[in-house]
């Protein structure tokens, strides 16, 4: 007799698919519900399951054991509601059941999960009841496992895990819960299980608890696992990060194995590794990920390494042919400047290290700007200013002669590591590339927490495309969909402003051009909202945002996102909190995840004292993964500092001083001299003294 046991909670979306296949081979179906508020239990009843309630106690093993205790079968099989059983898997299970599982005590099946990156893992899925009638016991409050008892039957039956991203988007909130459980594990429990240690490190990384994750990782490595186990675990962990689009963490896991293998001397004595298909997969995964994040040089080295160990690898050989197509190119750097004496030399000193041609167009300087520029280039031109930035940019581009044109402002700065990457890019530019985007960012500041925002901007463009700048203010180049784009998130251009521009300059140009007949499109209107907000015209900015939303919200998300920051500021100034919350919910319904929206909703819920919902939104903001390739402006403050500050305020409101202190410590690690943070710390200190 085969009993199938499940623990479930709010699984109405997936449970029916699983049970419709399970009833074909199960003699008994046990479903233990841990607190569903949807139709999960009713669905289970409809398939003839015996349904039991279990009071959740943050212990997966306890719930699994309870489900086994309710079963009567000689063999016990566990399943989750999001497991998928194909017809082939069901037919094989029926055959196995009819022959009493060959009299074995443990039956292993192949677990195929999307976050494993195509690697199946053998899992103990069916166990035999002990001869004395007792049940095998699950172990571990989180990432629970069953002990394997001999004899073991390893089958080719595949159980597939449903793709979770369809429900959770980019935010794996489940990891927050798992991270909390991981903290409760004792050192003894962790030291006894390398795999559990590594899995807890992954959970804590997902939850943003990097220091704790590093500690768990160090503990795991101190257990000195066998090389093959370390390889499989690092590969699976990396694939898991990759599944959630966290490329750098994935690459870190792949490199962890290479570092450990080198320390053990296994890379020089490579006999064991050359026979491992998993090592081949790890090298190719690492090569692909490094290329996708713009680390071309690293990608080429990893591909050469793959060829060294696996010379017959078709994929690595094809990659080698691809890299050989890369060819050196030349770059013209074009700048428009005016009274930039404090910063221009800093910029030009960096530019001449990679530029083949430097063109400086001066729009009316009265300081030493032109004199300084002449020290670095012979191509300094005068241009009569006409309140049109695009016209000045186009004039500078018309003077360029190199393969690619790059634009810079005088207060842009490029650090040594980024200069080296540009030099490498010049020597290895993929020949089909038309446009290259770099990361436009700034320095972290305790006074201005938004100063290190990030945005991928087009910086290099093939000269023969004859691209033209448009719009007199906040100018840009329309990118043709046919052009081949290369995103280099790793190459940063830092905006380091030294002077304050004319206060209403941008708004004045907008107003002048609009009186001359210039019609705002969605791109212009987003920037117009910014200028109105900056000028204190909150009502007008609010109306312009509403027009932007009404006209183009289905097409131009990046414009909505840019204007939204300023719209939120306007609504707060106007104290229209309820309407703001409605608009942000409408944004989520239209576009989905956005860290700025999550964080603001957390603030609004905290203001209304709906604390559990506020915490949920803050967690969403912290867990949100940045993807610069969506070409949206990303403010790092919304990912960590502001959620922690919001949580600290929330806990202070609830008089939970210990939790408030923990949140403030995490915020302090990011911006230790922030004035608001200092005030909250003083408030907490007064509370603790009372």
């Amino acid at each position: 007799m085969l009993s199938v046991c499940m623990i479930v909670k709010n699984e109405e979306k997936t449970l029916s698919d699983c049970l419709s296949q399970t009833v074909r081979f199960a003699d008994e179906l046990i479903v233990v519900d841990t607190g569903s508020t949807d139709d999960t239990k009713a669905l289970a009843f409809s398939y003839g399951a015996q349904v039991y309630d279990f009071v959740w106690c943050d212990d997966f093993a306890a719930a699994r054991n309870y489900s086994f205790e309710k079963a009567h079968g000689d063999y016990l099989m566990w399943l989750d509601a999001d497991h998928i059983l194909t017809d082939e898997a069901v037919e094989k299970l029926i055959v196995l059941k009819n022959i009493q599982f060959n009299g074995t005590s443990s039956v292993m099946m192949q677990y195929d999960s999307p976050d494993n990156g195509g690697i199946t893992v053998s899992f103990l899925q069916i166990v035999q009841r002990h001869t004395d009638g007792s049940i095998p016991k699950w172990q571990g409050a989180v990432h629970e496992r069953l002990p394997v008892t001999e004899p073991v039957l390893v089958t080719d039956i595949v159980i597939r895990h449903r793709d979770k991203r369809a429900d959770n988007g980019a935010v794996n909130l489940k990891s927050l819960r798992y991270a909390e459980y991981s903290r409760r594990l004792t050192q003894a429990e962790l030291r006894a299980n390398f795999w559990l240690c590594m899995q807890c490190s992954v959970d804590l990384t997902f939850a943003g608890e990097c220091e704790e994750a590093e500690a768990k990782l160090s503990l795991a490595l101190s257990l000195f696992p066998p090389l093959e186990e370390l390889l499989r675990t690092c590969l699976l962990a990396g694939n898991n990060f990759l599944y959630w689009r966290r490329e750098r963490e994935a690459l870190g896991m792949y490199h962890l194995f290479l570092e450990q293998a080198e320390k053990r001397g296994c890379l020089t004595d490579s006999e064991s590794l050359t026979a491992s298909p998993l090592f081949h997969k790890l090298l190719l995964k690492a090569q692909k990920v490094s290329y996708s994040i713009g680390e071309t040089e690293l990608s080429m080295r990893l591909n050469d390494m793959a060829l060294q160990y696996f010379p017959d690898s078709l994929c690595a050989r094809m990659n080698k042919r691809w890299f050989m197509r890369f060819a050196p190119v030349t770059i013209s750097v074009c700048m428009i400047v005016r009274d930039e004496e404090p910063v221009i030399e800093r910029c030009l000193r960096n530019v001449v290290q990679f530029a083949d041609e430097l063109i400086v167009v001066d729009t009316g300087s009265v300081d030493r700007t032109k004199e300084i520029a002449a020290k670095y280039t012979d191509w300094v031109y005068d241009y009569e200013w006409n309140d049109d930035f695009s016209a000045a940019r186009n004039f500078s581009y018309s003077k360029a002669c190199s393969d690619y044109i790059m634009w810079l402002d005088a207060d842009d700065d490029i650090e040594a590591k980024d200069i080296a990457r540009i030099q490498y890019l010049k020597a290895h530019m993929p020949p089909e590339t038309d446009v290259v985007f770099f990361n436009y960012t700034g320095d972290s500041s305790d006074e201005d927490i938004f100063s290190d925002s990030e945005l991928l901007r087009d910086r290099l463009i093939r000269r023969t495309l004859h691209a033209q700048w448009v719009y007199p203010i906040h100018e840009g180049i329309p990118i043709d969909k046919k052009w081949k784009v290369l995103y280099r998130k790793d190459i940063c251009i830092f905006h380091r402003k030294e002077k304050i521009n004319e206060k209403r300059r941008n708004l004045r140009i907008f107003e002048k051009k609009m009186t001359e007949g210039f019609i705002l499109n969605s791109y212009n209107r987003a920037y117009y909202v910014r200028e109105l907000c900056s000028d204190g015209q909150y009502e007008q900015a609010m109306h312009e945002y509403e027009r932007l939303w009404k006209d183009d919200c289905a097409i131009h998300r990046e414009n909505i996102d840019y204007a939204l920051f300023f719209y939120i500021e306007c609504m707060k100034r106007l104290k229209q909190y309820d309407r703001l919350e409605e608009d942000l919910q409408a944004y989520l319904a239209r576009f989905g995840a956005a860290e700025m929206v999550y964080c603001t909703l957390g603030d609004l819920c905290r203001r209304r004292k709906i604390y559990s919902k506020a915490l949920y939104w803050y967690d969403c903001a912290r867990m949100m993964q940045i993807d610069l390739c969506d070409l949206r402006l990303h403010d790092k403050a919304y990912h960590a500092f502001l959620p922690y500050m919001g949580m600290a305020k929330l806990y202070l409101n609830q008089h939970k001083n210990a939790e408030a202190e923990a949140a403030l410590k995490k915020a302090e690690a990011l911006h230790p001299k922030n004035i608001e943070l200092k005030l909250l710390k003083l408030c907490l200190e007064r509370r603790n003294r009372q």
Side-chain angles (χ1 to χ4, degrees):
M1 180 179 176
L2 175 64
S3 299
V4 175
C5 302
M6 306 173 69
I7 61 172
V8 297
K9 182 178 180 180
N10 294 333
E11 302 286 2
E12 64 175 6
K13 292 182 179 178
T14 58
L15 185 61
S16 185
D17 288 342
C18 182
L19 293 183
S20 63
Q21 292 286 68
T22 305
V23 293
R24 293 172 55 190
F25 62 85
D27 299 303
E28 181 182 51
L29 185 54
I30 307 294
V31 174
V32 170
D33 188 272
T34 63
S36 294
T37 56
D38 60 4
D39 289 333
T40 295
K41 290 167 68 174
L43 267 174
F45 277 122
S46 71
Y47 283 93
Q50 300 174 42
V51 180
Y52 299 91
D53 289 315
F54 180 82
V55 178
W56 182 244
C57 57
D58 291 344
D59 190 327
F60 284 93
R64 297 272 186 209
N65 287 328
Y66 182 76
S67 71
F68 273 23
E69 289 165 5
K70 297 299 180 183
H72 300 90
D74 306 305
Y75 283 89
L76 310 172
M77 177 179 181
W78 70 275
L79 280 176
D80 286 338
D82 53 3
H83 285 168
I84 300 171
L85 293 162
T86 63
D87 290 338
E88 180 185 3
V90 170
E91 289 162 8
K92 289 181 178 180
L93 275 165
I94 292 172
V95 171
L96 268 180
K97 190 184 77 165
N98 289 339
I99 60 172
Q100 289 293 300
F101 302 102
N102 282 338
T104 56
S105 298
S106 305
V107 180
M108 309 287 287
M109 298 184 189
Q110 306 308 308
Y111 189 60
D112 181 14
S113 176
D115 55 6
N116 286 346
I119 300 174
T120 56
V121 181
S122 293
F123 257 83
L124 177 57
Q125 209 72 38
I126 299 176
V127 292
Q128 187 180 31
R129 189 181 290 274
H130 295 152
T131 53
D132 63 0
S134 63
I135 58 169
K137 290 288 186 179
W138 288 85
Q139 299 168 359
V142 64
H143 300 299
E144 69 281 10
R145 282 193 165 189
L146 276 167
V148 178
T149 307
E150 299 286 347
V152 179
L153 174 64
V154 180
T155 73
D156 63 352
I157 299 173
V158 177
I159 293 180
R160 291 193 170 86
H161 195 196
R162 190 177 299 276
D163 193 330
K164 300 185 287 289
R165 285 174 300 188
D167 295 327
N168 293 347
V171 184
N172 187 3
L173 291 175
K174 184 178 179 181
S175 291
L176 281 175
R177 192 170 77 247
Y178 275 21
E180 186 57 38
Y181 300 156
S182 298
R183 292 191 190 94
R184 301 174 191 168
L185 296 172
T186 65
Q187 287 288 100
E189 288 175 299
L190 291 169
R191 285 192 176 280
N193 193 323
F194 162 75
W195 179 86
L196 179 62
C197 230
M198 287 288 289
Q199 196 58 52
C200 288
S201 176
V202 170
D203 290 335
L204 289 162
T205 302
F206 272 121
E209 307 295 346
C210 297
E211 287 186 17
E212 290 184 60
E214 191 67 32
K216 293 289 190 295
L217 183 60
S218 298
L219 177 60
L221 295 176
S222 71
L223 302 178
F224 207 76
L227 190 67
E228 189 66 22
E229 184 180 0
L230 178 65
L231 170 58
R232 176 175 287 274
T233 304
C234 287
L235 184 56
L236 287 171
N239 292 352
N240 188 253
F241 280 124
L242 201 58
Y243 170 79
W244 292 103
R245 302 181 182 90
R246 299 181 70 143
E247 292 92 346
R248 292 203 176 273
E249 287 93 339
L251 191 58
M253 276 294 161
Y254 302 144
H255 268 289
L256 176 66
F257 173 76
L258 295 176
E259 289 169 4
Q260 293 298 311
E262 186 174 20
K263 285 181 180 178
R264 299 186 188 190
C266 298
L267 293 184
T268 50
D269 179 20
S270 58
E271 190 173 330
S272 60
L273 290 176
T274 53
S276 171
L278 289 183
F279 183 51
H280 181 230
K281 283 188 176 183
L282 182 139
L283 286 173
L284 292 179
K285 282 277 189 183
Q287 178 272 323
K288 186 176 181 181
V289 173
S290 56
Y291 184 76
S292 73
I293 62 175
E295 297 280 4
T296 312
E297 185 177 3
L298 174 60
S299 180
M300 293 173 74
R301 288 204 307 269
L302 287 165
N303 196 71
D304 289 342
M305 194 175 181
L307 284 171
Q308 175 189 342
Y309 290 98
F310 304 95
D312 296 327
S313 169
L314 179 61
C315 186
R317 286 161 62 189
M318 290 178 67
N319 289 339
K320 185 71 173 178
R321 290 179 62 187
W322 164 260
F323 286 128
M324 288 173 65
R325 297 168 62 235
F326 292 11
V329 298
T330 56
I331 295 176
S332 296
V333 172
C334 296
M335 304 171 63
I336 60 172
V337 299
R338 181 175 181 178
D339 295 333
E340 300 289 359
E341 182 180 340
V343 294
I344 191 168
E345 188 151 23
R346 179 190 66 190
C347 180
L348 298 183
R349 198 164 40 232
N350 295 328
V351 168
V352 294
Q353 296 183 56
F354 63 83
D356 300 282
E357 183 180 51
L358 174 56
I359 294 159
V360 177
V361 172
D362 188 271
T363 63
S365 293
V366 294
D367 62 3
R368 296 179 56 248
T369 295
K370 290 170 64 177
E371 177 189 337
I372 296 170
K375 290 164 53 179
Y376 293 89
T377 179
D378 295 329
W379 293 288
V380 180
Y381 299 90
D382 289 313
Y383 180 82
E384 186 177 344
W385 181 242
N386 59 351
D387 283 342
D388 191 327
F389 283 91
S390 62
R393 296 272 187 208
N394 287 329
F395 178 78
S396 70
Y397 272 34
S398 72
K399 304 298 181 183
C401 298
S402 298
D403 299 325
Y404 288 83
I405 305 175
M406 177 178 177
W407 68 273
L408 279 176
D409 290 333
D411 54 6
D412 289 340
D413 194 13
I414 309 176
E415 296 184 347
K417 65 180 185 299
D418 299 301
I419 292 171
R421 286 168 178 161
I422 295 173
Q423 290 169 337
Y424 190 87
L425 177 64
K426 281 183 63 181
H428 302 87
M429 179 76 79
E432 71 281 0
T433 304
D434 292 319
V435 186
V436 185
F437 282 68
F438 293 163
N439 185 359
Y440 193 38
T441 185
D443 296 308
S444 178
S445 165
D446 292 331
E447 291 76 28
D448 180 6
I449 59 173
F450 299 111
S451 59
D452 59 349
S453 61
E454 294 183 298
L455 173 68
L456 274 188
R457 288 211 62 179
D458 48 305
R459 285 286 179 170
L460 279 171
I461 192 161
R462 191 186 295 275
R463 181 179 57 83
T464 53
L465 293 175
H466 304 294
Q468 291 289 297
W469 290 82
V470 294
Y471 314 131
I473 187 69
H474 297 299
E475 69 281 10
I477 295 176
I479 304 299
D480 194 308
K481 291 182 180 178
K482 297 177 184 176
W483 294 347
K484 299 295 182 182
V485 175
L486 176 64
Y487 296 118
R488 289 299 303 265
K489 295 180 280 188
D490 60 318
I491 299 179
C492 295
I493 308 292
F494 288 88
H495 188 214
R496 289 169 173 155
K497 187 186 288 286
E498 295 281 345
K499 68 172 187 177
I500 300 174
N501 293 324
E502 174 194 339
K503 186 177 180 182
R504 298 186 77 253
R505 182 194 67 182
N506 294 348
L507 188 57
R508 175 181 59 78
I509 294 175
F510 262 127
E511 291 169 346
K512 175 185 174 184
K513 296 299 179 181
M514 288 164 68
T515 58
E516 293 173 357
F518 179 69
I519 299 174
L520 300 180
N521 61 16
S522 58
Y523 174 89
N524 308 133
R525 198 175 302 283
Y527 281 95
Y528 190 41
V529 170
R530 163 187 162 173
E531 301 304 339
L532 289 168
C533 177
S534 301
D535 196 49
Q537 300 184 44
Y538 304 124
E539 290 273 3
Q540 182 64 20
M542 180 185 71
H543 294 315
E544 291 295 336
Y545 175 85
E546 290 169 351
R547 288 186 64 182
L548 178 64
W549 175 267
K550 188 181 299 182
D551 294 343
D552 286 303
C553 69
I555 305 171
H556 301 291
R557 175 179 180 174
E558 66 276 11
N559 297 328
I560 296 286
D561 278 358
Y562 187 84
L564 185 59
F565 177 91
F566 303 99
Y567 177 69
I568 290 171
E569 177 65 19
C570 291
M571 297 299 275
K572 287 180 177 178
R573 296 272 187 168
L574 297 170
K575 301 188 184 307
Q576 297 199 25
Y577 302 112
D578 292 344
R579 183 172 167 188
L580 175 58
E581 186 170 357
E582 291 176 10
D583 290 342
L584 295 179
Q585 293 286 3
Y587 176 99
L588 289 180
R590 171 76 70 172
F591 294 125
E595 62 274 23
M596 175 169 48
V597 175
Y598 286 150
C599 200
T600 307
L601 283 171
D603 291 342
L604 293 171
C605 288
R606 173 172 55 79
R607 185 177 175 276
R608 292 166 54 198
K609 299 184 180 180
I610 309 176
Y611 296 131
S612 60
K613 195 67 175 175
L615 277 175
Y616 167 79
W617 290 124
Y618 290 139
D619 283 338
C620 285
R622 291 196 308 111
M623 294 289 289
M624 176 85 184
Q625 178 65 16
I626 293 178
D627 180 13
L628 291 179
C629 291
D630 59 16
L631 303 185
R632 297 161 50 213
L633 179 69
H634 289 277
D635 289 303
K636 294 179 186 177
Y638 284 118
H639 287 274
F641 181 74
L642 288 175
Y644 285 132
M645 289 289 282
M647 292 163 69
K649 294 173 186 176
L650 179 152
Y651 289 132
L652 282 171
N653 289 349
Q654 294 180 294
H655 297 278
K656 295 181 178 180
N657 294 352
E659 290 88 342
E661 185 174 4
L664 282 175
K665 280 184 178 179
K666 290 173 180 176
E668 189 175 22
L670 299 165
H671 293 289
K673 296 180 181 178
N674 180 266
I675 296 299
E676 187 179 12
L677 180 132
K678 287 182 176 181
L679 291 173
L680 285 178
K681 285 183 67 179
L682 286 172
C683 177
L684 181 61
E685 288 169 7
R686 280 197 294 268
R687 284 265 187 92
N688 289 333
R689 285 197 297 266
Q690 291 175 357

